RNA sequence: GGAGAAAUGGCAGAGUGGUCGAAUGCGGCAGUCUUGAAAACUGUUGAGGGUCACACCUCCGGGGGUUCGAAUCCCUCUUUCUCCGCCA
C-alpha cells in the first residue's frame, strides 16, 4: 500500500510510473487525494466536537462535586446534542476511511526507475545468463517420465490421496527433496540468514498484512471452521513476524530464512505448462526475507540476487536472470528479478526464484517501522526471494543430469543425499 | 473439551466511574560530578491522527454497549496462566 502523503507530494511521478504498468491512475490518484482531504476535515470536525463534549463532561463533574446538581443536569442536554453530532461524524469518517482504503488497496507499487516498460513476459529483460546447457543423449525425457521410470515421484498416488497437484515423493525422490531443503537452508544460514520454522496456517490479519487478503483470497486454501489460511509462501508468516513492530535502527538489517510447504489453489491454471512438477497445489520452498534500512534496500536486493546465483552455480544448472518488466512485476513489488533454469528436455525456461524489493509497500500495511536517527518512526523496506523453490529445481536436475542409465546427483548435494545417482 | 483467574507504557507493576495517557520501580536518552568509567543526583522518555508550529482528538488485548463522563461497569472474541480431561 502506497503512503498517502507520498502520493500527495509526488502525484505526477506516481501517475507516470504507474503508467508503466499500463494503468491510467490519474483518476484513482485524484480520488485518493480528494478522499484523504475529506477524511482529514471530517476528522477535524469530529475532534472539535469531542473536545467540546470532553470539556463539558469535566464541567459536569465539577458541578456535581460542588453540589450544583441542577446546573449539571442542564449541561447534559448539550452533550446529548454533541453526542449525536459525533456519532454522525464518526460514521462519515469510517465510510470515508474505508473508501480511501479500498482505493489504496487497488493501487500497485510504483515500479523502480530501472524497471523496463512492457506488458508481458516477452518484455522482461535478460540481465544475466550462465551455465552450460548439456547435450543430452538421444531419447532424453521430461521429468514426469523420469519420475515414473525411476519410481521417485508418484503423481497418481497423490491424485488418489488428495487430488491433482499433490505429488508423492518416494525413496530417492523423497531423500533428494530433503537434501535440497537442507542444502538451501545451510547456504542461507551461512550467508547470515537466521533459520526459522514458521506456522503453515495464518490468520486473517497476517493475510492482509502481506497483501494476499482481501484481493487474492481465492488463491489460498481457507480453513473456514477456524478462519485460517494455508500459506501460499513462507513470505506470509515470515514477514508478519514484523507486523505492528517498531525496530531500533541498530536492529537492521534483519535476514531470516525458512523452509515451508506452500499451498496454492492456482485457480484458472491449465494446459501443458502445469504438467509434472511445473505447477502444483502443494510444493516446498525455502525463502529468504530481509528487513532493511530504506537507504540500503537496493544493495540488499543485489546481494540476494548474488546469493541465489551462487547456489545455482554450485548446482551447475544453466540459468538466466530476468529483470521483470513493469507489467510482469507483481502488485506489491517495486523491482523483481526472476531466476529461470533451462530445462533441456522440455526445451523451456522454468522459474525457480523471484527476488523482490517491496520498499515501503508491505511495511506500510504491516506497520513495520524503525526508530530513525532523529528518533522518528520510519517505515522500513522489506524484501524477499526464493532460495529456492524445490519442484522446478528438481525438474531441472532430473532433466539436465539424466544419462542413459540414470540420473546423476549434483556434486554439492551428494553429502546430503548419501547417493551419487538415481 | 470442562472449571477458574488474568491481559495496563520497552519491562515489572499500581490504579474499580470524573482533575488518569495513567503512580512507582527498572531500563533507555541527556546533563551534573569524574582524567575516563561506575555510582550518585537532576531532567527526559509510548503510539496514531492533526497542525507551519501549537491546540486538539484517539489508543490501558480486539470489537460492541451502558453513562454527561470508562483503564475502571456490562456483553463478546482472542490470548495467557492454574486445575481436570485427552493426546504426539
Amino acid at each position: 500500500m502506497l503512503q498517502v502523503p507520498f502520493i500527495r507530494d509526488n502525484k505526477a511521478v506516481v501517475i507516470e510510473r504507474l503508467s508503466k504498468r499500463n494503468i491510467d491512475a490519474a483518476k484513482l490518484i485524484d480520488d485518493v487525494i480528494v478522499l484523504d482531504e475529506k477524511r482529514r476535515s471530517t476528522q477535524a470536525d469530529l475532534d472539535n466536537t469531542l473536545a467540546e463534549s470532553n470539556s463539558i463532561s469535566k464541567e459536569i463533574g465539577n458541578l456535581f462535586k460542588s453540589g450544583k446538581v441542577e446546573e449539571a443536569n442542564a449541561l447534559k442536554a448539550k452533550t446529548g446534542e454533541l453526542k449525536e453530532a459525533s456519532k454522525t461524524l464518526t460514521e462519515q469518517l469510517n465510510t470515508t476511511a474505508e473508501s480511501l482504503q479500498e482505493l489504496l488497496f487497488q493501487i500497485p507499487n510504483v515500479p523502480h526507475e530501472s524497471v523496463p516498460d512492457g506488458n508481458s513476459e516477452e518484455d522482461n529483460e535478460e540481465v544475466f545468463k550462465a551455465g552450460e546447457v548439456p547435450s543430452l543423449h538421444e531419447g532424453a525425457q521430461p521429468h514426469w517420465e523420469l519420475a515414473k521410470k525411476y519410481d521417485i515421484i508418484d503423481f497418481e498416488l497423490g491424485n488418489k490421496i488428495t487430488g491433482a497437484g499433490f505429488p508423492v515423493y518416494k525413496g530417492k525422490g523423497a531423500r533428494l527433496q530433503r537434501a535440497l531443503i537442507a542444502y538451501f537452508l545451510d547456504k542461507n544460514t551461512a550467508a547470515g540468514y537466521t533459520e526459522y520454522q514458521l506456522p503453515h496456517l495464518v490468520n486473517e490479519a497476517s493475510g492482509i498484512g502481506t497483501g494476499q487478503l482481501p484481493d487474492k483470497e481465492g488463491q489460498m486454501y481457507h480453513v473456514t471452521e477456524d478462519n485460517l489460511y494455508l500459506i501460499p509462501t513462507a513470505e506470509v508468516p515470515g514477514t508478519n513476524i514484523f507486523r505492528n513492530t517498531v525496530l531500533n535502527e541498530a536492529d537492521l538489517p534483519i535476514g531470516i530464512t525458512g523452509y515451508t510447504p506452500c499451498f496454492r489453489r492456482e485457480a484458472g491454471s491449465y494446459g501443458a505448462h502445469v504438467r509434472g512438477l511445473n505447477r502444483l497445489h502443494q510444493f516446498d520452498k525455502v525463502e529468504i526475507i530481509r528487513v532493511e534500512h530504506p537507504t540500503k534496500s537496493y544493495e540488499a536486493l543485489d546481494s540476494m540476487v548474488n546469493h541465489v546465483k551462487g547456489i545455482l552455480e554450485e548446482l551447475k544448472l544453466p540459468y538466466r536472470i530476468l529483470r521483470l518488466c513493469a507489467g510482469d512485476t507483481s502488485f506489491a513489488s517495486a523491482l523483481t528479478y526472476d531466476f529461470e533454469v533451462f530445462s533441456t528436455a522440455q526445451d523451456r525456461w522454468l522459474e525457480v526464484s523471484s527476488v523482490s524489493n517491496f520498499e515501503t509497500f508491505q511495511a506500510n500495511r504491516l506497520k513495520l517501522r524503525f526508530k530513525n536517527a532523529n528518533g522518528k518512526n520510519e517505515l522500513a523496506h522489506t524484501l524477499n526471494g526464493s532460495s529456492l523453490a524445490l519442484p522446478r529445481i528438481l525438474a531441472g536436475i532430473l532433466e539436465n543430469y539424466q544419462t542413459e542409465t540414470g540420473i546423476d546427483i549434483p556434486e554439492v548435494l551428494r553429502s546430503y543425499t548419501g547417493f551419487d545417482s538415481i
Side-chain angles (χ1 to χ4, degrees):
Chain A
M1 195 165 69
L2 294 175
Q3 300 170 81
V4 176
F6 175 80
I7 294 176
R8 221 190 300 151
D9 297 341
N10 304 281
K11 188 178 152 182
V13 179
V14 170
I15 293 173
E16 193 253 303
R17 290 269 184 87
L18 285 176
S19 71
K20 283 182 141 193
R21 286 188 186 261
N22 221 15
I23 300 170
D24 182 7
K27 167 98 170 55
L28 210 51
I29 296 297
D30 279 336
D31 289 350
V32 164
I33 290 171
V34 168
L35 271 178
D36 178 56
E37 267 163 23
K38 187 171 173 213
R39 200 208 92 233
R40 289 190 348 254
S41 76
T42 312
Q43 178 83 60
D45 291 346
L46 176 62
D47 287 356
N48 290 334
T49 311
L50 289 175
E52 199 180 335
S53 172
N54 285 346
S55 89
I56 293 176
S57 289
K58 267 183 195 164
E59 217 176 317
I60 291 174
N62 289 331
L63 288 171
F64 271 125
K65 249 180 207 164
S66 47
K68 296 174 184 164
V69 177
E70 273 179 39
E71 285 178 48
N73 283 330
L75 280 177
K76 282 192 190 180
K78 178 73 180 156
T79 56
E81 283 170 35
L82 291 171
K83 206 176 177 183
E84 277 306 306
S86 70
K87 208 172 164 186
T88 332
L89 284 168
T90 304
E91 278 163 20
Q92 276 178 30
L93 182 66
N94 288 342
T95 44
T96 310
E98 263 169 46
S99 320
L100 178 60
Q101 180 88 316
E102 252 170 60
L103 288 188
L104 288 170
F105 278 163
Q106 288 171 36
I107 304 176
N109 202 354
V110 177
H112 185 257
E113 56 188 356
S114 69
V115 171
D117 291 331
N119 301 321
S120 72
E121 39 186 85
E122 272 117 67
D123 301 314
N124 294 335
E125 182 189 336
E126 186 179 295
V127 293
F128 190 81
K129 195 174 186 174
E132 297 252 326
V133 175
S135 48
L136 296 179
H137 61 275
E138 192 78 11
Q141 293 174 307
H143 68 267
W144 52 88
E145 302 290 351
L146 296 168
K148 191 178 281 181
K149 182 170 168 190
Y150 298 108
D151 197 24
I152 50 174
I153 308 170
D154 196 328
F155 292 97
E156 277 154 34
L157 196 50
N159 292 347
K160 173 184 172 181
I161 300 170
T162 308
F166 292 90
V168 174
Y169 301 89
K170 301 200 282 191
K172 285 183 169 177
R175 180 62 187 257
L176 183 52
Q177 284 282 107
R178 179 153 62 90
L180 281 166
I181 293 165
Y183 165 67
F184 291 150
L185 285 170
D186 283 353
K187 291 297 288 183
N188 296 345
T189 51
Y193 295 91
T194 307
E195 184 174 343
Y196 275 67
Q197 277 201 20
L198 296 159
H200 301 170
L201 280 89
V202 293
N203 58 29
E204 207 174 344
S206 292
I208 292 169
T210 30
Q212 279 71 28
L213 298 175
D215 285 354
K216 294 166 207 113
E217 175 142 31
Q219 290 299 324
M220 283 194 293
Y221 289 98
H222 186 191
V223 181
T224 51
E225 190 165 1
D226 299 295
N227 198 26
L228 296 172
Y229 295 86
L230 274 78
I231 56 169
T233 159
E235 168 194 343
V236 180
T239 310
N240 273 284
I241 291 172
F242 304 102
R243 172 155 46 87
N244 286 326
T245 301
V246 183
L247 300 163
N248 294 313
E249 198 166 10
D251 296 336
L252 302 174
I254 294 172
I256 72 175
T257 184
Y259 151 72
T260 68
C262 301
F263 301 91
R264 300 187 180 181
R265 295 188 64 229
E266 299 290 0
S269 297
Y270 62 93
H273 287 184
V274 307
R275 286 215 59 185
L277 296 170
N278 289 348
R279 194 170 290 278
L280 299 169
H281 288 304
Q282 177 181 330
F283 64 94
D284 293 306
K285 182 157 63 67
V286 177
E287 187 79 358
I288 48 178
I289 298 169
R290 290 174 77 142
V291 181
E292 289 283 336
H293 193 282
T295 57
K296 300 273 174 63
S297 66
Y298 280 95
E299 226 172 274
L301 183 67
D302 287 344
S303 95
M304 290 166 87
V305 167
N306 282 328
H307 176 65
V308 174
K309 246 164 120 169
I311 294 177
L312 289 171
E313 256 149 52
E314 277 196 358
L315 288 171
K316 296 197 166 72
L317 289 168
Y319 72 100
R320 64 176 183 180
I321 304 174
L322 304 175
R323 188 185 345 236
L324 296 191
C325 73
D328 216 20
T329 301
S330 72
F331 190 82
S333 171
L335 176 58
T336 297
Y337 291 103
D338 268 9
F339 283 75
E340 295 184 336
V341 161
F342 191 74
S343 157
T344 313
Q346 289 186 69
D347 191 30
R348 58 184 281 240
W349 293 96
L350 301 172
E351 181 192 332
V352 294
S353 174
S354 189
V355 182
S356 304
N357 187 356
F358 302 99
E359 300 188 359
T360 60
F361 196 85
Q362 280 186 330
N364 190 31
R365 259 206 209 194
L366 289 164
K367 296 201 168 54
L368 162 54
R369 295 148 297 172
F370 68 96
K371 215 164 260 308
N372 68 20
N374 302 324
K376 291 276 182 198
N377 287 343
E378 185 177 340
L379 292 174
H381 282 194
T382 59
L383 304 92
N384 68 49
S386 352
S387 178
L388 277 129
L390 283 264
R392 297 184 194 145
I393 288 286
L394 185 60
I397 290 174
L398 297 179
E399 290 171 356
N400 288 318
Y401 277 87
Q402 63 181 304
T403 65
E404 275 176 279
T405 53
I407 294 156
D408 292 336
I409 299 296
E411 253 169 67
V412 282
L413 291 177
R414 291 183 183 179
S415 62
Y416 290 94
T417 54
F419 48 81
D420 296 353
S421 66
I422 293 174

